[in-house]
Amino acid sequence: MILIENLTKKYEDKEVLNIPKLSIKKGEKFGLVGNNGAGKTTLFNLILDLVKPNSGQVLNNDIALNKSEAWKKHTAAFIDESFLIGYLTPEEYLYFIGQLRGVNESQVDSWLEQFQVFFNDEVLGQKKYIRNLSKGNQKKVGLVSTFLGNPDCVVLDEPFANLDPSSQIRLKDIIKKQIENHNTTFLISSHDLNHVTDVCERIVLLEKGLPIKDLTTDSDTFGQLEAYFKA
Amino acid sequence: MTISKFWQLEIKSFFRAPQWEVAVIAKIFIALFGIYLFVTIMAIGVGAYYIIEKVFPDELTTSLINQGIFFAFLIEFITRYFFQQSPSTQVQSWILLPIKKRIIINNLLLRSLINLFNFTPWLLYFPIAVVRVIEGTPWTTAFIWFAHLLCITLILNYLIFFINKSHRFLISTFVLILLGAGLEYHTDFSFYRNFALALEWLEQNPISLLLSCGTLVLIYRLAYHYLKARFYLDMGLAKKSEKVLQLGFAFLGGYGMLGAFLKNDLRLLLRNARPRQILLLTFFFLFYGFLFFTMDMYKTNAVMLVFASMFITGGFSLSYGQQVPSWDSEYYGLLMTQNLTYREYLESKWWLMASSVIITLILSSFYLILGWKFFLIVTAGAIYNLGIGSFINLYSGAFHRVPMKLNVKAKAFSNTQAFNVTQLLFTIPKLGLPVLVFLIADFFIGGYAGWFALIIIGSMGILTKNLVLNHIAKIYSSGKYKTIEAFSKN
């Protein structure tokens, strides 16, 4: 699904990311961990063609990002609040995203029913603009929007941050269900080792822009990661 | 923590802002413009007395000036309502620091004095007072007269604190103005005449100064207590909760992606403070023609008429188009990862600008009362704006990479966000090209040829729309990463 080759990114001569090779299979649940400044968001921004690499390239479904924009059809992402349109209501926002992905308004309405518990009656039908929702509820709108139209590849930066404990658990269930039903490829970064080992089958650990560990999740993974971060 | 510390922070926030170098240049230009305005207003102040004396030799000059000042205050009050910013939003970060509330609030109230509106008495009324002394009024009387006017200006400055952003207030003011106008028209009672009489009485009674100054002190105290009582995050400092403005744009549903974007852009315009200012500006531009079409000085000047024809229907296109990617800067990352191309994005922007030209053209049909020639001028300008102007505006937008906070009003005279040197350079083709086209046709053929030349090249532009948009899309596309980076510094 995603193939990264010799990818580097520098900011003013300081290399912030250097990935010789990384291949993510279709339907893989891929987790990214690392301390602040390790390059997680930079990597996601490169995968989404939001920043220009200094060398190397990213292929999404065999499409080179710098050659064609066709990858946007099957990819969705939520990185931060700049992926929300503040002056729309959650409904309007989801209809808009739906329209871009070929899902009409009534389809969006019936599709949204499955998220009722996750939204906890605080998001839909509130007659509020997204900019007036709490941080947590804003995040829920953004996260849910990425599943709209069932894209093949979903990129989520820190999806669990800012959510209350119940919502974190519900989000994990939603992600798992999405993977089961649609074989979605997930790229998730997180500081929460518990959640990330629970959801992802493969975890890459970044340190100062370099992938230093590539683990297949098993019962030891959590301990291994904890040992690394303790040191 | 003293007042001077606040100023130091203010200075830091200026120099550490992204693109502060641009801001410096912008400030210089704004300062130059300010000086120009300063001189003009001074000239009006000095000249007013003599002009009025000459035009109305039979009436008392001072009385007429006083009547005029009534309207000046009315206009000042309405403009203040729209442009004077509530400063309370800037203090959130202070509230927890060990600074006395008294200092923060007094600083807020004093800082609000540094505002263009509060300089108008010095520019406008002070020269008049001087001229009055020269013309024989005792200097004490002129001084008292000026002191009263100064007090009224400052009272207005603090009055705005109480009514900030209340639409109910705005509506009731307009109703009152209408009622007042009705009273003026149908009865003998006259607000502005009574205002003038009151001013005359006040200047004859020095003791009345106590009244004005007392009111000023009182309103300052009231503003102080008003702010102090609301100095909590969930009250005065909280963002006002907004009601969702729901408008049916259902008819746009049938136009697919284009309709979806237009729908969003209309919501953007109506639901955010910055774009609403643009709408207001567009409305004023619509009446710009009266200034040019009715004054002999301009009526006969072809270049001025070309300018007028550009502005009447092009006001929106000019002010919106040159900042095209900035309007979407808050969620640019989203747009760049969605399944849409720059071409589609620009097309929807073009349609929005085109609709504004067509709507303003229809609205401007009232210029027909001045004669069909003036409507021809407006129409020629509209077609040029559709086919050429809109593209130049979109093109210049590609170089405007300044993030914008949509729901924050632009402050008059400190609006460096919308300002940028490239945009200033683009004004040359924006205004020069139509003048050039007009003058060439006018020189070689004469008659109405200049106007028809604008119509012809405008129509050609409309016909080649797809070609031009493709080209502009390429330019936007090549600047993509730069734009994303600039916008992420929002």
Side-chain angles (χ1 to χ4, degrees):
Chain A
M1 187 84 220
I2 305 278
L3 182 63
I4 293 169
E5 294 167 330
N6 301 320
L7 194 68
T8 64
K9 178 71 195 170
K10 283 181 198 156
Y11 282 114
E12 289 163 10
D13 292 335
K14 191 175 177 286
E15 198 168 72
V16 293
L17 197 73
N18 185 346
I19 298 183
K21 194 173 168 77
L22 184 68
S23 164
I24 300 164
K25 288 196 298 285
K26 170 98 179 79
E28 195 164 64
K29 308 154 202 57
F30 178 87
L32 198 58
V33 295
N35 283 326
N36 290 336
K40 300 187 296 296
T41 307
T42 307
L43 176 57
F44 281 175
N45 280 338
L46 284 162
I47 289 173
L48 295 169
D49 197 32
L50 290 174
V51 294
K52 196 179 181 172
N54 290 83
S55 72
Q57 62 169 352
V58 180
L59 293 139
N60 182 331
N61 227 2
D62 299 327
I63 303 159
L65 301 194
N66 51 1
K67 302 236 166 61
S68 157
E69 297 185 60
W71 58 275
K72 291 179 177 175
K73 285 201 182 86
H74 58 256
T75 309
F78 185 69
I79 302 293
D80 54 28
E81 63 274 21
S82 77
F83 278 65
L84 294 169
I85 303 179
Y87 57 83
L88 298 183
T89 65
E91 285 91 341
E92 288 167 349
Y93 175 76
L94 292 164
Y95 293 153
F96 175 64
I97 301 291
Q99 194 147 20
L100 294 177
R101 305 216 186 117
V103 186
N104 69 33
E105 294 195 4
S106 59
Q107 284 168 324
V108 173
D109 283 333
S110 56
W111 172 82
L112 274 173
E113 278 166 26
Q114 57 183 309
F115 300 107
Q116 246 176 15
V117 183
F118 185 54
F119 283 150
N120 198 24
D121 294 331
E122 287 168 353
V123 175
L124 298 178
Q126 295 300 298
K127 301 217 156 101
K128 267 187 187 175
Y129 297 138
I130 292 177
R131 65 175 173 228
N132 295 332
L133 294 177
S134 72
K135 280 265 182 282
N137 285 330
Q138 287 184 352
K139 187 142 203 174
K140 287 182 187 177
V141 177
L143 290 170
V144 163
S145 79
T146 59
F147 306 135
L148 195 48
N150 302 317
D152 294 334
C153 178
V154 173
V155 181
L156 302 176
D157 195 16
E158 302 277 358
F160 302 106
N162 270 333
L163 293 183
D164 59 62
S166 301
S167 300
Q168 292 181 10
I169 292 162
R170 283 170 193 150
L171 177 63
K172 275 199 285 191
D173 292 338
I174 292 169
I175 293 175
K176 281 177 183 164
K177 218 166 79 191
Q178 193 72 18
I179 293 166
E180 244 168 65
N181 296 343
H182 303 283
N183 196 28
T184 315
T185 312
F186 263 95
L187 278 67
I188 295 174
S189 80
S190 182
H191 286 309
D192 192 312
L193 303 178
N194 243 322
H195 290 319
V196 82
T197 44
D198 191 11
V199 175
C200 298
E201 55 189 2
R202 176 182 171 197
I203 294 172
V204 164
L205 174 63
L206 282 182
E207 185 186 275
K208 291 181 179 157
L210 297 166
I212 55 164
K213 274 195 166 75
D214 193 340
L215 309 164
T216 310
T217 315
D218 54 32
S219 53
D220 293 338
T221 312
F222 182 78
Q224 271 178 290
L225 289 173
E226 207 178 34
Y228 165 80
F229 284 107
K230 258 184 190 166
Chain B
M1 192 81 184
T2 53
I3 300 263
S4 72
K5 282 261 167 55
F6 276 103
W7 290 101
Q8 283 171 18
L9 287 172
E10 198 86 337
I11 291 164
K12 277 184 187 151
S13 88
F14 177 76
F15 281 108
R16 296 182 182 176
Q19 298 196 332
W20 69 269
E21 300 93 337
V22 176
V24 170
I25 298 170
K27 290 267 180 215
I28 292 170
F29 273 103
I30 288 168
L32 287 177
F33 183 67
I35 291 168
Y36 167 75
L37 215 69
F38 177 86
V39 173
T40 322
I41 294 176
M42 274 290 242
I44 293 174
V46 175
Y49 191 92
Y50 295 108
I51 292 170
I52 290 172
E53 196 172 41
K54 207 171 173 186
V55 179
F56 305 98
D58 305 332
E59 291 186 59
L60 262 174
T61 314
T62 338
S63 168
L64 283 177
I65 286 178
N66 285 343
Q67 290 173 18
I69 288 173
F70 174 80
F71 292 103
F73 276 133
L74 201 65
I75 293 167
E76 181 188 328
F77 189 52
I78 294 168
T79 349
R80 270 179 193 272
Y81 173 83
F82 281 110
F83 288 101
Q84 193 171 332
Q85 272 209 328
S86 152
S88 58
T89 45
Q90 305 157 3
V91 297
Q92 284 211 10
S93 44
W94 302 120
I95 198 164
L96 275 182
L97 295 175
I99 311 167
K100 286 209 174 72
K101 279 185 185 179
R102 187 171 52 81
I103 292 180
I104 301 178
I105 296 170
N106 277 323
N107 176 58
L108 259 178
L109 289 172
L110 289 178
R111 197 161 54 175
S112 76
L113 289 179
I114 306 174
N115 187 319
L116 193 78
F117 296 111
N118 298 328
F119 290 109
T120 43
W122 295 99
L123 296 174
L124 204 55
Y125 309 140
F126 188 71
I128 294 179
V130 172
V131 173
R132 283 188 67 191
V133 173
I134 295 169
E135 294 298 310
T137 313
W139 73 268
T140 40
T141 315
F143 170 77
I144 295 166
W145 178 80
F146 174 68
H148 277 298
L149 295 177
L150 189 61
C151 283
I152 297 175
T153 308
L154 298 183
I155 289 169
L156 288 183
N157 181 61
Y158 289 116
L159 201 59
I160 292 295
F161 277 72
F162 299 98
I163 53 174
N164 209 340
K165 289 172 197 158
S166 150
H167 290 292
R168 201 176 298 156
F169 171 82
L170 184 71
I171 293 163
S172 33
T173 309
F174 271 116
V175 170
L176 275 180
I177 290 174
L178 281 181
L179 279 177
L183 266 178
E184 295 269 4
Y185 194 74
H186 290 291
T187 65
D188 289 336
F189 186 78
S190 166
F191 285 95
Y192 63 92
R193 284 207 188 89
N194 279 310
F195 176 82
L197 286 177
L199 264 186
E200 277 156 45
W201 182 81
L202 288 173
E203 71 176 28
Q204 295 304 331
N205 297 278
I207 202 84
S208 66
L209 261 185
L210 286 177
L211 185 75
S212 282
C213 295
T215 316
L216 178 59
V217 172
L218 183 73
I219 198 151
Y220 184 93
R221 297 302 304 168
L222 283 175
Y224 176 87
H225 288 292
Y226 180 85
L227 284 182
K228 193 169 181 190
R230 281 161 188 73
F231 219 62
Y232 298 95
L233 283 184
D234 59 341
M235 293 174 78
L237 303 183
K239 282 185 197 142
K240 243 181 107 175
S241 68
E242 306 168 90
K243 269 199 205 122
V244 169
L245 179 75
Q246 207 52 273
L247 287 166
F249 300 122
F251 67 97
L252 287 169
Y255 294 91
M257 203 89 108
L258 183 65
F261 270 98
L262 281 177
K263 208 151 55 171
N264 261 9
D265 276 330
L266 288 172
R267 286 174 181 144
L268 177 136
L269 289 173
L270 295 168
R271 292 174 175 181
N272 294 292
R274 258 312 264 292
R276 274 199 299 260
Q277 285 182 312
I278 297 267
L279 287 182
L280 195 73
L281 209 65
T282 308
F283 185 72
F284 285 129
F285 269 126
L286 190 57
F287 298 100
Y288 206 65
F290 275 117
L291 201 72
F292 285 89
F293 296 161
T294 54
M295 284 176 158
D296 285 334
M297 193 162 65
Y298 296 126
K299 207 159 69 177
T300 47
N301 185 336
V303 175
M304 283 298 164
L305 289 181
V306 177
F307 283 160
S309 79
M310 293 297 120
F311 288 140
I312 292 169
T313 53
F316 179 82
S317 171
L318 271 170
S319 39
Y320 181 84
Q322 66 170 4
Q323 302 186 60
V324 149
S326 288
W327 299 109
D328 298 307
S329 65
E330 285 180 356
Y331 45 86
Y332 209 61
L334 172 82
L335 294 184
M336 290 300 105
T337 51
Q338 292 302 319
N339 183 22
L340 78 120
T341 58
Y342 263 120
R343 179 63 217 294
E344 290 166 306
Y345 174 76
L346 290 172
E347 173 124 32
S348 83
K349 300 289 173 193
W350 185 82
W351 276 103
L352 186 70
M353 286 151 68
S355 322
S356 85
V357 173
I358 291 164
I359 291 168
T360 42
L361 178 64
I362 294 168
L363 290 177
S364 66
S365 54
F366 58 77
Y367 283 114
L368 275 170
I369 55 172
L370 296 175
W372 68 270
K373 188 200 157 190
F374 291 105
F375 193 61
L376 169 77
I377 290 175
V378 178
T379 313
I383 293 172
Y384 177 88
N385 279 330
L386 273 178
I388 306 286
S390 57
F391 295 127
I392 303 182
N393 293 333
L394 275 180
Y395 183 84
S396 72
F399 303 94
H400 186 75
R401 299 191 184 99
V402 185
M404 183 196 293
K405 289 208 169 78
L406 275 178
N407 210 17
V408 176
K409 279 187 202 173
K411 277 191 259 174
F413 292 94
S414 58
N415 178 16
T416 48
Q417 248 190 0
F419 187 93
N420 139 347
V421 183
T422 335
Q423 294 309 325
L424 201 73
L425 288 177
F426 267 113
T427 346
I428 300 167
K430 272 175 193 169
L431 294 175
L433 188 63
V435 171
L436 197 69
V437 168
F438 177 89
L439 287 180
I440 290 173
D442 196 52
F443 180 76
F444 286 109
I445 310 172
Y448 287 111
W451 301 111
F452 284 112
L454 288 179
I455 293 178
I456 291 165
I457 75 156
S459 312
M460 272 162 34
I462 299 171
L463 290 175
T464 52
K465 185 191 113 205
N466 291 335
L467 221 73
V468 181
L469 278 183
N470 283 338
H471 181 67
I472 300 176
K474 267 191 206 133
I475 294 160
Y476 271 81
S477 189
S478 67
K480 173 183 160 179
Y481 300 111
K482 265 192 192 168
T483 315
I484 295 173
E485 199 195 332
F487 286 173
S488 67
K489 287 174 186 156
N490 207 336

